[in-house]
Amino acid sequence: MTGTETKTPSVGDEVMEGKTRAIVTDIRDGFFWLRLPHGGTGTEWLAEDPTRLEVRRTRDEMIEAGDL
């Protein structure tokens, strides 16, 4: 993906929320739950504005790169 594409994030995608890099862990009733890429338990939070999440890499791209 390039930085100019707009894509709705899916579970497992790496996203940017402002200046914070995160992984989408769940989508419930249109609400996106995020965690730090290498965060432990209890580090999930609700995305402030799901429409502003920017997909950096999809889950499939991370698997292909050996990052998962």
Side-chain angles (χ1 to χ4, degrees), residues 7-15 23-27 32 55 57-59:
K7 179 184 181 313
T8 301
S10 298
V11 171
D13 289 353
E14 179 182 72
V15 298
I23 303 294
V24 178
T25 59
D26 201 357
I27 303 169
F32 287 70
V55 177
R57 296 187 298 167
T58 65
R59 182 176 188 277

Side-chain angles (χ1 to χ4, degrees), residues 21-25 33-40 43-45 68:
R21 187 168 57 111
I23 303 294
V24 178
T25 59
W33 288 87
L34 309 175
R35 69 165 173 81
L36 294 175
H38 300 289
T43 58
E44 286 188 318
W45 70 92
L68 284 182

Side-chain angles (χ1 to χ4, degrees), residues 9 13-23 34 49 52-57:
D13 289 353
E14 179 182 72
V15 298
M16 290 298 292
E17 181 181 44
K19 294 183 180 183
T20 303
R21 187 168 57 111
I23 303 294
L34 309 175
D49 182 356
R52 297 189 68 181
L53 293 176
E54 184 179 316
V55 177
R56 288 189 60 187
R57 296 187 298 167

